[in-house]
């Protein structure tokens, strides 16, 4: 689609008259915006019976266009807010694509009900706002069929999102909790798709979120995006905590960015508060209808102090608590009766249910009581409106309100305070009608501590909505603020709002999305798993599965071979309760060691005593224990140490005392004492708390041991302190160096491991082979267990496959013909 004239202003978008189906359209870079609903208003023409569409100027999705580059074509994917008959859908789709660049997702009515009203509004919305269905009478209990509808709906959105793409260079930006599975569904089809996701609602703490039966599926769905955006750091922190506690994923702060490594891909976490479209608000302030409404409100409430609340009719908006606090204020302050008015506008609910009906009835009851007790002829303390009103009317109330109060018990960003601040800035004509002769704009905000915009509005009066006394005090205080105070607060808030507008938010998020995608684009992707357990593993382009036939062929072709094997997780299953090697493993290792052309070593972090006892029957097996600090070439040779025996261990007592204090403070942790190292293990502790303690312990020890010849190293559930120069890589270097010195340089090197410490071996072997001349360089098979990011060139699926591989090498020896 070629667009030559796009004007993003207060009233949406105007499109030029050129042919939208121009062949040049396929070369334009696209930004595909996917959300539950399209930014359109829909109505059927009563005369012709045809559907009519126009831009919804109130939609954030439409206002986002100001933040996109003019060179980018924006295409929207989402549902319409009305049901379209099947026979009309194709015609409507064509019209929306050509005139609005919108691609509709048509959901069958029963699917729409189960997906939106059932799972989204019945399960996710309450949960994300900290409301748990303790019993059937208090909320909707989890219904697996509704989650099935959620999956089906997300698949339809995925179909349309793929349809909207022009090329691999296009970006897809997904919005809100309705589409949390969309990233995994798109990644499953297009492994290198560029995906961003932004959550507009709060994200709950891990204790709340983990009550959701499908918690893991939704987290894994989101983690297939390149960037996941949140309104505040609190929401992002809760998400990171869930990833740690439920999926065992760690996150890192680097150069100001937060990232989670998920199967080799770095998923960036972006904190980007949404802003308002300042230009649109300023334009509406100048509209004659707005000015006329301002005059009407001024005349109607002349001499009154106006408090304003604009909220959705929703159980979480705290309207009842606000009204009760207002009632307390009137009880306490007789002098304010007859002088103060609360105008409460309730936007129509987005979905109907028992909670909404009960909330509305409660609000009306409180309003009637307040007005009957404290009202008088010609004066109503509370003016309540619970029907849809034009946006310019809300703007007029913003202009005239002395104070705006948002009392939600839990909410996302909530842009009402921002809109209020912009409208209070006013215009020359508005100021004239308000009776302001000098440019002294003022505003007062009372906002709940539990809404997303609270951190950014430092001049607002912050309240706990559950404390009626505190909210009542805030209302009284707001009515008593001096004009100078209200002006200072307004100026501070206005500077923030106009600089952090909606275009700024879009630009900020897209910058992060582009940066994140560039970081992930040079990898090779492997598609693993089925259904919602699908995952894309990002690996080096040269990384591939080890071919047993290829290795056996090299094994048979060479005469001198060095074989290095990690123990735990490589030849011994990681989850095995018994760590003693089986007779089958002993037999395979003995067969390999019997061949004089082989040098076989177990390279492990375990103590030399245990390894020596377990492999005492493997007389020709070499052992590198405690990450290579102790090395023994066979059962008849002495243990060698690296660094040499006699190195100072004066640091041990100090380290042990520090580790003991962390052990006492961290339930489930313990200390492993080795001859060469001390290890603090938190495998059985709470994961998140253990991780925090491990970071703190590492920092503490690094500072304490800065002048000692030791290394503090974090590993998988451990913090280890060991002498400098100790590592599996150095042990392999020493063994290979000795073989070369003895005139037996290996022609083939096989190295198999599974965890972070084994990466040292892989890197060491890779570096060693690069130093050799091309004629003398050995063949190298560095192999990691499991398909994951690694310095190894090959991978093998699991421990049992390692044993099969070693067995294949043993069986091939009878076919080797000596030269």
């Amino acid at each position: 689609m070629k667009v030559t004239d796009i004007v993003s202003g207060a009233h949406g978008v105007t499109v030029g008259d050129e042919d939208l189906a121009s062949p040049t359209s396929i070369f334009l870079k696209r930004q595909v915006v996917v959300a539950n609903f399209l930014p359109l208003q829909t109505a059927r023409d009563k005369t012709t019976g045809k559907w009519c569409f126009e831009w919804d100027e109130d939609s954030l999705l439409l206002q986002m266009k100001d933040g996109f580059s003019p060179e980018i074509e924006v295409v929207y994917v989402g549902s319409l807010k009305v049901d379209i008959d099947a026979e009309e859908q194709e015609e409507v789709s064509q019209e929306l694509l050509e005139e609005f660049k919108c691609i509709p997702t048509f959901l069958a009515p029963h699917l729409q009900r189960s997906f939106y009203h059932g799972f989204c509004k019945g399960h996710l919305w309450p949960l994300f706002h900290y409301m748990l269905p303790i019993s059937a009478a208090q909320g909707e209990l989890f219904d697996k069929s509704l989650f099935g509808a959620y999956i089906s709906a997300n698949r339809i959105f995925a179909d349309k999102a793929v349809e909207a793409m022009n090329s691999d260079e296009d970006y897809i930006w997904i919005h809100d909790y309705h589409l949390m599975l969309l990233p995994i569904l798109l990644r499953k089809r297009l492994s290198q798709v560029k995906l961003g996701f932004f959550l507009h609602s709060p994200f709950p703490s891990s204790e709340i979120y983990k009550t959701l039966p499908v918690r893991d599926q939704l987290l894994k769905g989101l983690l297939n995006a390149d960037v996941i955006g949140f309104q505040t750091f609190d929401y992002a922190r809760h998400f990171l905590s869930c990833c740690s506690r439920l999926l065992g994923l760690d996150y890192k702060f680097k150069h100001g960015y937060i990232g989670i490594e998920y199967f080799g891909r770095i998923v960036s976490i972006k904190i980007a508060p949404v802003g308002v479209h300042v230009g649109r608000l300023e334009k509406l302030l100048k509209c004659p209808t707005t000015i006329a409404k301002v005059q009407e409100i001024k005349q109607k409430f002349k001499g009154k102090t106006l408090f304003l609340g604009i909220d959705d009719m929703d159980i979480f908006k705290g309207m009842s608590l606000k009204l009760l606090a207002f009632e307390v204020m009137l009880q306490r302050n007789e002098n304010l009766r007859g002088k103060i008015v609360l105008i409460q506008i309730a936007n129509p609910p987005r979905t109907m249910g028992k909670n909404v009906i009960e909330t509305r009835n409660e609000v009306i009851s409180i309003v009637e009581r307040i007005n009957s007790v404290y009202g008088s002829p010609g004066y109503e303390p509370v003016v309540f409106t619970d029907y849809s009103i034009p946006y310019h009317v809300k703007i007029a109330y913003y202009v005239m309100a002395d104070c705006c109060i948002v009392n939600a018990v839990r909410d996302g960003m909530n842009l009402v305070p921002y809109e209020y601040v912009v409208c209070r800035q006013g215009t020359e004509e508005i100021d004239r009608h308000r009776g302001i002769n000098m440019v002294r704009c003022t505003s007062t905000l009372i906002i709940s501590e539990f809404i997303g915009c609270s951190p950014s509005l430092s001049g607002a009066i912050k309240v706990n909505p559950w404390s009626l006394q505190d909210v009542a005090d805030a209302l009284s205080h707001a009515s008593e603020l001096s004009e100078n105070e209200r002006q200072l607060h307004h100026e501070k808030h206005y500077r923030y709002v106009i600089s952090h507008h909606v275009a700024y938010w879009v630009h900020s998020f897209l910058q992060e999305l582009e940066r994140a995608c560039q970081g992930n684009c040079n990898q090779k992707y492997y598609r693993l798993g089925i259904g919602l357990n699908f995952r894309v593993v990002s690996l080096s382009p040269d990384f591939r599965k080890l071919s047993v036939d290829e290795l056996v062929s090299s094994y048979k072709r060479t005469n001198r071979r060095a074989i290095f094997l990690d123990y735990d997780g490589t030849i011994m299953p990681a989850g095995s309760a018994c760590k003693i090697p089986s007779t089958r493993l002993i037999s395979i290792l003995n067969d390999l060691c019997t061949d004089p052309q082989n040098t076989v070593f177990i390279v492990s972090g375990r103590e030399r005593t245990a390894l020596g006892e377990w492999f005492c029957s493997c007389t020709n097996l070499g052992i590198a224990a405690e990450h290579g600090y102790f090395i023994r070439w066979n059962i008849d040779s002495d243990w060698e140490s690296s660094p040499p025996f006699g190195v100072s261990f004066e640091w041990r007592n100090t380290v042990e005392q520090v580790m003991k204090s962390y052990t006492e403070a961290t339930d489930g942790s313990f200390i492993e004492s080795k001859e060469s190292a001390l290890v603090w293990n938190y495998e059985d502790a709470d994961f998140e708390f253990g991780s925090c303690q491990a970071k703190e312990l590492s920092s503490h020890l690094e500072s304490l041991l800065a002048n000692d010849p030791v290394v503090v190293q974090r590993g998988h559930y451990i913090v280890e302190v060991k002498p400098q120069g100790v590592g599996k890589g150095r042990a392999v270097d020493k063994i290979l160096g000795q073989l070369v010195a003895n005139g037996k340089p290996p022609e083939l090197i096989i190295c198999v491991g599974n965890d972070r410490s084994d990466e040292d071996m892989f890197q060491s072997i890779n570096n060693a082979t690069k130093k050799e001349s091309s004629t003398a360089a050995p063949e190298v098979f560095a192999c990691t267990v499991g398909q994951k990011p690694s310095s190894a060139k090959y991978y093998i699926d699991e421990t049992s496959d390692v044993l099969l591989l070693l067995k294949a090498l043993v069986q091939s020896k009878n076919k080797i013909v000596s030269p």
Side-chain angles (χ1 to χ4, degrees), residues 52-64:
C52 300
F53 306 96
E54 62 180 9
W55 289 113
D56 180 2
E57 299 171 14
D58 294 340
S59 173
L60 178 67
L61 298 180
L62 181 64
Q63 296 169 11
M64 284 170 51

Side-chain angles (χ1 to χ4, degrees), residues 366-468:
I366 298 172
V367 169
E368 290 175 348
R369 185 178 69 241
I370 293 174
N371 287 339
S372 65
V373 174
Y374 300 102
S376 60
Y379 169 65
E380 284 188 337
V382 180
V383 177
F384 178 62
T385 302
D386 67 339
Y387 52 84
S388 181
I389 62 175
Y391 194 63
H392 76 271
V393 175
K394 295 179 183 177
I395 297 294
Y397 277 114
Y398 281 140
V399 169
M400 294 305 299
D402 298 284
C403 176
C404 180
I405 175 170
V406 179
N407 202 54
V409 297
R410 188 74 59 179
D411 207 352
M413 198 61 203
N414 199 316
L415 299 178
V416 166
Y418 292 174
E419 293 175 344
Y420 169 70
V421 169
V422 174
C423 292
R424 287 292 290 180
Q425 183 68 14
T427 64
E428 288 186 12
E429 188 170 3
I430 285 288
D431 291 345
R432 189 167 60 252
H433 288 291
R434 286 192 296 185
I436 300 176
N437 297 322
M438 300 177 1
V439 183
R440 288 182 60 84
C441 300
T442 64
S443 62
T444 305
L445 281 168
I446 300 173
I447 58 176
S448 165
E449 300 170 351
F450 303 102
I451 63 175
C453 64
S454 177
S456 61
L457 299 171
S458 58
I461 302 172
K462 309 291 178 62
V463 295
N464 178 352
W466 280 279
S467 176
L468 300 184

